Amino acid sequence: MSKQLNRNGVSPALRAVITAGIIILVVATLFPFYWVVRTSLTPNSRIYVDAGRLLPPSPTFMNYPRVLGLVDAATSVALGGTGQSVNFLVNLKNSLIISVCVTFFSTLFSAMAAYAFSRLHFPGRDQIFYLILAAMMVPGVVMMIPNFVFVRQLGLLNTYAGVMAPCLIMTPYAVFFLRQFFLGINKEIEEAAYLDGAGQYQTFFTIILPLMQTALVTLAVTTFINTWNDYMWPLIVGKKEEIRTLTVALGVFRSQTPQGQPDWSGLTAGTVLAIIPALAIYGVFGKKIVNSVQFSGFR
């Protein structure tokens, strides 16, 4: 072979093609996010002017204080907005409370259930686990009406508990995901703990869970982001302002169009502010998520 190959046995030409393909995919993935930021920096009156420009025409940061309600309605209308705003701090607090509680309890209870299905022996264990796997095939929208009726009968409409109810305990995917990691842990670790006098709960919380740190962080981050971005369920269960989440608040802001058209600049500014917490969490724990993909258990 006359062509030189790199250490991985890939020719420079093929490596260049792969690199170019990756760059194209990255640009195609990030471009919508850039366009949201670009629109948030564009005056609402200039949204449809030079719409094909990559840089925002007449860039301004006033859309952010407008959507946060830091300027009065008359000034907001003068800047091209609708005069409406988002109660950002209240909605942010609601989203944080719901997302953190769902993430913590769902991850904990899913880990306990997954450990039981992987280690404990009880009648009907496999059959129950197969039912959980079957539940993964059911679209979430199918369960929305039964869940709503159940939450309404419990009197939990317009409460934090009602918004968190469907995913607070555990989800089928989380149980399946963690069970696969538990199966990769050597049983001799637990047997050694039992010989040292540790009980079932002590072994689980002090030995097994630390070994599952990567998988638990991965599940927690994905659960937090999914809960943070959820829109439909919080919309139909929590309509009151005092428990309205940030995604629902942005939807309400989108529908307030006294000037005849949506305030796209304000909406995208609110969207940028809404995705910052999720991006920050993913930026901090992203490496653990990547490591979990390569995790193959303990041998």
Side-chain angles (χ1 to χ4, degrees), residues 64-83:
Y64 290 92
R66 279 202 307 104
V67 75
L68 294 176
L70 300 180
V71 298
D72 57 86
T75 305
S76 177
V77 173
L79 292 172
T82 60

Side-chain angles (χ1 to χ4, degrees), residues 3-297:
K3 294 184 178 180
Q4 295 182 349
L5 301 179
N6 60 18
R7 295 180 180 179
N8 298 324
V10 179
S11 66
L14 180 58
R15 185 180 182 86
V17 171
I18 295 175
T19 302
I22 294 175
I23 293 175
I24 292 174
L25 290 176
V26 170
V27 171
T29 302
L30 296 181
F31 185 77
F33 295 98
Y34 165 75
W35 201 257
V36 170
V37 176
R38 181 257 189 201
T39 305
S40 71
L41 297 175
T42 303
N44 207 46
S45 59
R46 301 292 302 275
I47 287 292
Y48 301 104
V49 178
D50 297 327
R53 291 179 55 182
L54 289 178
L55 297 178
S58 304
T60 177
F61 287 96
M62 287 303 298
N63 294 319
Y64 290 92
R66 279 202 307 104
V67 75
L68 294 176
L70 300 180
V71 298
D72 57 86
T75 305
S76 177
V77 173
L79 292 172
T82 60
Q84 308 297 323
S85 61
V86 175
N87 197 344
F88 188 81
L89 293 180
V90 173
N91 302 140
L92 176 65
K93 178 198 69 174
N94 295 335
S95 292
L96 284 174
I97 291 175
I98 293 171
S99 299
V100 170
C101 289
V102 169
T103 299
F104 176 79
F105 289 107
S106 178
T107 303
L108 175 62
F109 294 141
S110 296
M112 297 174 69
Y115 181 76
F117 283 119
S118 63
R119 288 291 190 265
L120 305 183
H121 299 278
F122 53 89
R125 183 191 69 173
D126 295 338
Q127 289 74 15
I128 296 175
F129 182 69
Y130 293 149
L131 288 176
I132 291 178
L133 291 182
M136 295 175 58
M137 310 301 173
V138 181
V141 68
V142 175
M143 300 301 299
M144 190 166 295
I145 294 179
N147 285 337
F148 176 79
V149 173
F150 184 63
V151 168
R152 185 183 61 182
Q153 291 176 344
L154 292 176
L156 297 179
L157 292 180
N158 294 310
T159 63
Y160 288 126
V163 178
M164 295 185 290
C167 300
L168 187 64
I169 304 300
M170 60 182 179
T171 60
Y173 170 76
V175 174
F176 171 76
F177 175 78
L178 292 179
R179 178 179 177 271
Q180 301 307 115
F181 282 85
F182 279 126
L183 292 176
I185 297 178
N186 198 322
K187 292 184 178 180
E188 294 178 357
I189 298 176
E190 299 165 76
E191 294 173 355
Y194 296 147
L195 291 176
D196 289 338
Q200 192 84 54
Y201 289 99
Q202 185 179 3
T203 302
F204 175 74
F205 284 104
T206 62
I207 297 178
I208 301 301
L209 286 187
L211 294 177
M212 293 283 296
Q213 180 182 5
T214 300
L216 292 174
V217 170
T218 300
L219 179 62
V221 170
T222 54
T223 301
F224 180 91
I225 293 177
N226 290 335
T227 306
W228 182 272
N229 293 331
D230 192 15
Y231 174 75
M232 185 58 67
W233 178 254
L235 173 64
I236 64 177
V237 176
K239 294 184 178 181
K240 290 186 177 180
E241 174 67 24
E242 53 267 25
I243 66 160
R244 184 179 292 166
T245 62
L246 198 52
T247 53
V248 176
L250 290 175
V252 174
F253 180 82
R254 159 68 175 81
S255 64
Q256 296 171 337
T257 56
Q259 304 300 321
Q261 66 179 9
D263 184 357
W264 294 115
S265 296
L267 180 62
T268 52
T271 302
V272 171
L273 295 175
I275 65 177
I276 288 176
L279 290 177
I281 290 177
Y282 188 82
V284 173
F285 298 104
K287 186 175 181 180
K288 289 186 178 294
I289 296 178
V290 174
N291 291 338
S292 70
V293 177
Q294 303 173 348
F295 184 84
S296 59

